[in-house]
Amino acid sequence: MLLTTKFLRPTSDQRAVRRERLSSMLEPHSPKRLNLVIAPAGFGKTTLVAQWCARTRFPTAWLSLDEHDDEPRRFWQYVIGAFEYSGLDGLEDCRKQLNHDSDDAATGAITGLLNVLSADGSPWNLVLDDFHLVRDERILRDFAYFIDYLPPEITVTLASRTEPALPLARWRVRRWIEDIHPGLLAFSEDECRRFFHDTMGIDLSNAEVHSICRRTEGWVAAMQLTALSGSGRITDINPSSHHEAVNPHQLEIDERHISDYVLAEVLEQQPAEVARFLLDTACCPRLCASLCDAIRGQQDSQQKLEQLLSQNLFLIPLDNHDGWFRYHDLFRDALLQRIRHSEPDRARALWRKTVDWLLDHGHVQEGITQIVHQRDWDWLATVLAEHGNNLIHGGYHLPVLDWIESLPDHLVQDSPQLQMLRIWGLFFANRLDALDPLLSALEDLLDRRVADSHPDAEGALGLQSEISLIRSYLARTRSDDKSASDLTKQVLKDIDHTKIPLKSVTYYGLGLDYYGEGLLADAEDALQSAVRYGQVERKPSTVLSSGGLLAWILYTRGDIDLALETCMEIRSWVDKHYSDPSQPRLISCWQNSALTEIYRERNQPQLAATHLAPLLEHVNRGTEPGQHVIIQHVRGHLAFSEGRLQDAIEVLEDAAQVGRRRRDHIVFEPPASSALLARCYLATGHPEKAQACLGSPDDRQFTNPLNREQNLISIARVLVAQKCPDKAQEILGKMLPAAERNAHNRHLVEILLVYGEALDLQGRHQEATKTLNRAVLKASEAGFLRLFAEESPRLRELVQALPMLAGLGRWNQTLRDMLSQQATVLADATGAGSSPVQPPPSGTPLQEPLSQREMEVLALINEGHANKDIAIRMDVAPATVKAHIRNLYGKLGVGRRTEALAKARDLGLLKL
């Protein structure tokens, strides 16, 4: 006799979260034959399938399997019984066939079942829940036969904790399978919110939902246990209910209940060798075969990991080739709790082996994190002294600072290496004001050690070179170029006598010096050395920064293809040697900015924006002021190229302001954002504003010749716009020889273009054509494109009319097409790209009307948003928002928000 309750489909809870996207994936369609819903315990497999069955219009046979069904005759008896229970007629012969005592009894019964289903012609669904309990090879072989010969109207759904040993690859090729894996079953944050509110009757804040969803990783069983353990009282969804609600602020993840669930439902159900592997490897934050072999003293870990993965035992792959994994956090916590309680000495030994392996195999940050969790301060001090320098120069200066701060004071005070690490960390964090007293204190300590013949006196001499290098960078912030250069060159002389790897950082500083002097060839040589030594010294951050500045220079010189190749080669090296999936991708301001400029100039704005995007997060969070200026400069340049002139003006104003205000904290002179800002004002028809932000031609505000050239070219543009071509020619004529001599080829093309426009304005058309031809020829050699589209409409027309541009060649055709498309973009671009804010009503009694951006800020203030939120919504820096608000207050004649809103309503700028 069959147990009919096994045929009962679980009732779908009306309060359960509806997962329409997943349910739609289960729907029948040709040529699909099989739904595979595979996930560990507690991921909602049964609930999902039951919800789908409740809504499907087709008849469904449901079978809940148990451990007794792993026998061929019994299994097929229940499959046939499920169909009979659900109303399929004509199965008597199939049942009789199973009563025969022969090897092919199951085959005969399966064939009969297939024939009955085919004759019935109805689109049946068969659901087999807990299919992971089926392990008998005979059942699996016969089930494969059953799927192979299913009538087209039948869909089978398997809910299982593990992927069954069926010919799935062959079926997937035939598109017979719909896979729903744990990643799809995990609840999203919105589903988590609905689960607590609709199913469990608990109202949580967005922050609480986010925290629980992140901690449980969408594991619904863990969320349910969390809700049930909140206080024992759950709100009834029925409005008439008077049940007392759980206080959401008391709701926390109860790891004790989750641990009990994991141990009972998962660990204790495993074979002894699997349970041993799980417990022994729980100390690993991430797992790979080599690590597991090392701590277990075995050589079979890859096989074990693949076994766990196939069984869906909460093992999450971290790559695409089954190399690295991690356990679900709550699953790992339960395992750690068990082994620490039952085998504390073994747990400690396994942990130390894990940390040793991580440190020995280059996963230093992860190893240190484990040491910090155990509060082993002496070990932490030793590891930081050995590895901290590479971590800082690898971009992890902030974690190193935090780790040093966590150490007891006496460990830091007695260690010159740790004090030097603190100084480097503060330097890279741009906390320069704190460095002088720390450097002096360290120098005193080193002098005492040398005088006392301390055993580490040789190391003290090595640290002196690091101190000199830091002081050279500080000299650059004071524009003391001679001291900076002298100190840097002295470090290069002394560096071979020390064991401290400093050459890459020193050559990077030398490259900055040469770049600041406009000596691009010398800068290239120094930066190439910085890249080479950085690779030897394993300093990826220095390699990226040096290579990025090198690419920036190559771009400026007109070697665009070489600049791009340099970026790609360096990126490839960093990704090859420092691709840690647990850490964010290391990026460089110089390199991403160079790539943004390169792709923008090649008229590929989408690619340019892709490389700009990672930098914007640093601007919004706050970054070193020199980097802030660079990022805003290239951001503004991209907006200018795309015709988003108001956006460009905002970010370039911010860049210029930060450059002026924070000059003492910038170790190099950043790009001349004011020169680009002036071009934006010209494009919007405000030459007077352009002139105001540039200063006079004799102004010595720039020490970098490149920046000075850029500023002078913009001054010449303004003079041409003001119909003063002779003055423009005087400025440009003086610049031309130096630009040619120093191979400032981008500037050379711009100089020739503006000079040609000035000549044409004077009626000297033949000379203008000759000059413009020269500019076009130089640009074609370098690969410059976009700079032509950014010039004035008159100049673009002159270039389009050049006979030489009509020649064959891909570059010529690309330039012609681009200029044709550009004909109306910049002319109509004022305010483009801004949000659709209504302009102020005509006749508003303001001496100067509010700009569109100021109107947008006003509307957001009216909605109650703080400055930080306004910056996020407008995708601008907080400083830009403050500037808008200052302008807004000035135009309205008010001093604070309430007054601004009241005045705006009086003027009709806001609705009452």
Side-chain angles (χ1 to χ4, degrees):
M1 180 178 294
L2 300 181
L3 187 62
T4 57
T5 53
K6 289 162 66 72
F7 305 139
L8 298 177
R9 172 172 52 83
T11 303
S12 180
D13 189 341
Q14 294 300 314
R15 300 173 303 172
V17 176
R18 299 291 174 182
R19 315 192 70 185
E20 300 298 334
R21 181 174 60 88
L22 296 183
S23 293
S24 65
M25 293 175 66
L26 296 173
E27 288 293 332
H29 63 78
S30 180
K32 183 175 74 173
R33 300 189 179 191
L34 183 64
N35 289 315
L36 277 182
V37 186
I38 310 294
F43 263 79
K45 301 181 295 295
T46 301
T47 300
L48 171 66
V49 177
Q51 284 181 337
W52 168 64
C53 290
R55 61 178 251 179
T56 185
R57 64 184 186 277
F58 304 130
T60 299
W62 182 286
L63 173 59
S64 297
L65 296 164
D66 58 42
E67 63 274 12
H68 303 295
D69 296 326
D70 195 25
E71 189 277 323
R73 189 187 308 274
R74 179 181 173 90
F75 175 85
W76 289 107
Q77 282 178 334
Y78 269 104
V79 170
I80 292 170
F83 276 110
E84 281 191 313
Y85 184 85
S86 301
L88 181 62
D89 297 326
L91 295 173
E92 296 82 1
D93 290 341
C94 297
R95 282 191 285 103
K96 292 177 182 178
Q97 187 71 35
L98 284 173
N99 292 329
H100 294 170
D101 188 13
S102 63
D103 293 338
D104 62 351
T107 303
I110 295 168
T111 301
L113 174 59
L114 291 169
N115 289 336
V116 171
L117 288 169
S118 180
D120 180 78
S122 300
W124 279 85
N125 295 317
L126 171 64
V127 177
L128 302 179
D129 196 17
D130 289 333
F131 195 80
H132 56 274
L133 298 171
V134 175
R135 301 184 181 89
D136 191 291
E137 291 183 359
R138 295 169 295 174
I139 298 177
L140 295 170
R141 183 181 64 248
D142 290 339
F143 193 78
Y145 169 80
F146 176 68
I147 297 296
D148 277 335
Y149 292 97
L150 268 181
E153 302 86 4
I154 311 302
T155 302
V156 177
T157 299
L158 305 182
S160 174
R161 296 183 185 180
T162 62
E163 194 168 89
L166 295 168
L168 302 179
R170 172 164 59 86
W171 294 345
R172 287 188 175 109
V173 170
R174 297 179 179 180
R175 297 186 295 141
W176 285 4
I177 296 181
E178 184 77 65
D179 287 292
I180 298 182
H181 49 74
L184 289 172
L185 279 164
F187 272 39
S188 67
E189 192 167 317
D190 180 64
E191 289 172 328
C192 176
R193 182 182 298 103
R194 286 188 282 135
F195 169 79
F196 279 107
H197 182 270
D198 299 342
T199 306
M200 304 308 297
I202 302 174
D203 283 325
L204 299 180
S205 69
N206 289 339
E208 290 166 326
V209 169
H210 175 76
S211 175
I212 294 175
C213 188
R214 179 184 57 81
R215 187 77 174 92
T216 61
E217 299 185 52
W219 181 18
V220 68
M223 292 191 290
Q224 186 171 18
L225 290 168
T226 297
L228 292 174
S229 62
S231 70
R233 301 185 303 277
I234 305 297
T235 301
D236 195 314
I237 298 300
N238 188 336
S240 63
S241 172
H242 299 288
H243 290 210
E244 188 175 1
V246 175
N247 181 353
H249 297 287
Q250 296 176 350
L251 186 62
E252 296 179 353
I253 293 178
D254 191 325
E255 298 191 8
R256 179 176 58 83
H257 286 102
I258 295 172
S259 177
D260 291 345
Y261 178 86
V262 168
L263 297 176
E265 292 293 325
V266 180
L267 186 65
E268 293 173 5
Q269 305 297 322
Q270 304 306 314
E273 67 274 10
V274 174
R276 181 77 270 166
F277 182 89
L278 290 170
L279 291 170
D280 284 352
T281 56
C283 56
C284 305
R286 294 185 296 138
L287 305 96
C288 71
S290 175
L291 170 57
C292 296
D293 283 345
I295 67 174
R296 296 171 59 238
Q298 303 289 335
Q299 299 298 318
D300 61 348
S301 296
Q302 185 64 37
Q303 178 185 349
K304 295 288 187 186
L305 289 167
E306 291 176 0
Q307 179 184 351
L308 296 182
L309 187 63
S310 67
Q311 294 176 352
N312 277 293
L313 281 177
F314 295 91
L315 189 67
I316 301 170
L318 297 177
D319 55 35
N320 295 323
H321 49 272
D322 291 346
W324 281 97
F325 307 87
R326 71 173 177 86
Y327 291 124
H328 187 292
D329 285 344
L330 296 177
F331 181 71
R332 177 173 178 250
D333 290 345
L335 297 175
L336 283 172
Q337 180 181 329
R338 166 63 67 87
I339 191 171
R340 286 171 179 169
H341 177 75
S342 60
E343 303 173 272
D345 292 340
R346 182 177 179 82
R348 177 74 179 176
L350 289 166
W351 172 77
R352 289 197 69 90
K353 287 182 179 180
T354 299
V355 176
D356 283 335
W357 187 95
L358 290 170
L359 296 175
D360 291 343
H361 289 77
H363 305 282
V364 179
Q365 189 173 3
E366 203 163 1
I368 290 176
T369 301
Q370 298 301 309
I371 296 173
V372 172
H373 285 165
Q374 295 295 320
R375 305 176 69 82
D376 193 330
W377 304 126
D378 289 331
W379 196 8
L380 175 61
T382 301
V383 171
L384 284 176
E386 180 180 355
H387 297 283
N389 193 277
N390 281 339
L391 282 171
I392 284 177
H393 293 284
Y396 302 115
H397 50 281
L398 293 179
V400 170
L401 280 175
D402 290 340
W403 292 327
I404 291 175
E405 291 302 319
S406 69
L407 289 171
D409 288 340
H410 72 275
L411 290 178
V412 180
Q413 296 304 321
D414 294 341
S415 172
Q417 289 84 1
L418 292 178
Q419 292 188 41
M420 192 71 236
L421 282 180
R422 173 184 281 163
I423 290 169
W424 276 116
L426 292 170
F427 173 79
F428 280 104
N430 195 45
R431 291 155 64 181
L432 305 184
D433 294 338
L435 294 186
D436 272 325
L438 293 177
L439 287 167
S440 299
L442 178 55
E443 286 174 321
D444 291 342
L445 175 60
L446 294 177
D447 289 343
R448 290 196 301 271
R449 291 208 165 182
V450 172
D452 297 341
S453 299
H454 191 278
D456 193 28
E458 184 178 348
L461 292 174
L463 289 180
Q464 289 287 358
S465 294
E466 293 196 57
I467 293 173
S468 296
L469 189 56
I470 288 284
R471 291 202 180 280
S472 75
Y473 280 101
L474 293 180
R476 292 185 184 95
T477 67
R478 300 190 297 269
S479 299
D480 187 355
D481 297 335
K482 185 178 186 308
S483 295
S485 179
D486 291 345
L487 285 166
T488 303
K489 290 174 181 176
Q490 185 61 47
V491 172
L492 283 176
K493 289 181 181 179
D494 298 339
I495 207 165
D496 289 329
H497 304 294
T498 72
K499 296 180 180 179
I500 299 177
L502 288 177
K503 284 191 174 180
S504 62
V505 186
T506 307
Y507 274 110
Y508 175 59
L510 203 59
L512 279 174
D513 289 341
Y514 287 134
Y515 172 68
E517 296 170 20
L519 303 174
L520 301 189
D522 293 333
E524 284 182 48
D525 290 341
L527 293 168
Q528 286 169 349
S529 296
V531 170
R532 183 171 66 254
Y533 285 115
Q535 291 173 338
V536 172
E537 296 166 359
R538 292 290 194 251
K539 287 184 167 62
S541 182
T542 305
V543 170
L544 276 174
S545 295
S546 302
L549 179 54
L550 176 59
W552 183 280
I553 291 172
L554 291 170
Y555 159 76
T556 301
R557 287 170 62 95
D559 295 323
I560 295 182
D561 291 338
L562 182 57
L564 185 58
E565 181 181 340
T566 299
C567 288
M568 296 302 102
E569 288 179 353
I570 288 173
R571 180 80 263 170
S572 176
W573 181 85
V574 171
D575 289 344
K576 180 179 179 181
H577 293 88
Y578 294 90
S579 57
D580 186 345
S582 69
Q583 303 297 335
R585 193 180 194 223
L586 195 62
I587 64 169
S588 156
C589 171
W590 273 123
Q591 187 180 65
N592 279 58
S593 297
L595 286 167
T596 302
E597 282 289 273
I598 289 167
Y599 284 116
R600 182 200 55 74
E601 184 57 43
R602 294 175 71 167
N603 204 31
Q604 297 174 285
Q606 289 183 333
L607 278 175
T610 298
H611 291 285
L612 175 65
L615 300 177
L616 299 184
E617 180 182 356
H618 293 271
V619 170
N620 294 330
R621 289 186 322 192
T623 187
E624 187 271 323
Q627 294 186 359
H628 180 100
V629 174
I630 295 172
I631 295 168
Q632 293 292 71
H633 179 86
V634 298
R635 183 184 186 183
H637 203 170
L638 181 59
F640 176 63
S641 288
E642 294 181 321
R644 295 181 288 111
L645 299 180
Q646 190 60 39
D647 291 343
I649 288 171
E650 289 173 3
V651 295
L652 291 170
E653 284 178 340
D654 175 63
Q657 182 183 17
V658 171
R660 290 191 301 270
R661 191 178 70 248
R662 304 294 303 279
R663 182 65 190 91
D664 292 342
H665 292 79
I666 300 175
V667 298
F668 58 90
E669 185 177 278
S673 299
S674 57
L676 187 53
L677 178 60
R679 300 184 65 184
C680 295
Y681 286 140
L682 283 178
T684 56
H686 294 92
E688 72 287 349
K689 288 186 177 181
Q691 185 175 17
C693 73
L694 289 172
S696 70
D698 299 326
D699 194 340
R700 294 293 175 182
Q701 60 175 311
F702 298 108
T703 59
N704 186 323
L706 288 165
N707 294 336
R708 189 161 55 250
E709 285 177 359
Q710 194 65 62
N711 199 63
L712 289 171
I713 296 170
S714 286
I715 290 175
R717 285 191 177 95
V718 173
L719 291 170
V720 170
Q722 293 174 335
K723 303 295 188 283
C724 301
D726 50 340
K727 294 182 179 180
Q729 287 170 340
E730 181 181 354
I731 293 172
L732 296 170
K734 293 178 181 178
M735 297 170 60
L736 198 55
E740 288 183 301
R741 181 175 62 252
N742 296 318
H744 298 173
N745 291 321
R746 178 178 173 83
H747 290 175
L748 178 58
V749 173
E750 294 185 42
I751 291 169
L752 291 170
L753 287 173
V754 181
Y755 200 101
E757 184 177 9
L759 288 169
D760 185 77
L761 194 60
Q762 292 174 321
R764 299 158 64 182
H765 304 303
Q766 288 186 344
E767 293 176 74
T769 299
K770 183 178 178 180
T771 303
L772 294 176
N773 280 339
R774 187 178 167 196
V776 168
L777 181 62
K778 196 69 181 176
S780 65
E781 293 172 353
F784 293 126
L785 273 173
R786 193 67 207 177
L787 61 82
F788 290 95
E790 296 171 359
E791 295 295 347
S792 69
R794 176 191 179 90
L795 183 49
R796 294 200 305 272
E797 291 176 2
L798 292 173
V799 172
Q800 280 182 287
L802 291 175
M804 72 170 296
L805 199 61
L808 298 177
R810 181 177 180 181
W811 184 88
N812 289 41
Q813 182 62 51
T814 303
L815 179 58
R816 290 197 302 269
D817 293 344
M818 184 187 68
L819 291 177
S820 296
Q821 295 169 2
Q822 189 70 13
T824 58
V825 173
L826 286 179
D828 300 332
T830 305
S834 302
S835 299
V837 179
Q838 293 297 321
S842 58
T844 298
L846 290 176
Q847 291 185 350
E848 184 179 356
L850 302 186
S851 69
Q852 288 188 324
R853 279 304 217 189
E854 289 161 358
M855 285 294 295
E856 184 176 355
V857 170
L858 180 64
L860 292 171
I861 291 175
N862 188 45
E863 293 174 11
H865 297 291
N867 289 6
K868 181 178 179 181
D869 296 329
I870 295 174
I872 293 172
R873 284 172 171 264
M874 295 176 63
D875 192 24
V876 297
T880 303
V881 174
K882 291 180 180 178
H884 283 315
I885 291 175
R886 283 197 302 272
N887 293 340
L888 184 67
Y889 287 177
K891 291 178 180 180
L892 293 175
V894 298
R896 56 178 183 267
R897 283 189 169 213
T898 53
E899 294 175 353
L901 293 176
K903 183 70 171 289
R905 292 189 184 98
D906 290 342
L907 296 173
L909 300 176
L910 290 173
K911 294 181 179 179
L912 296 175

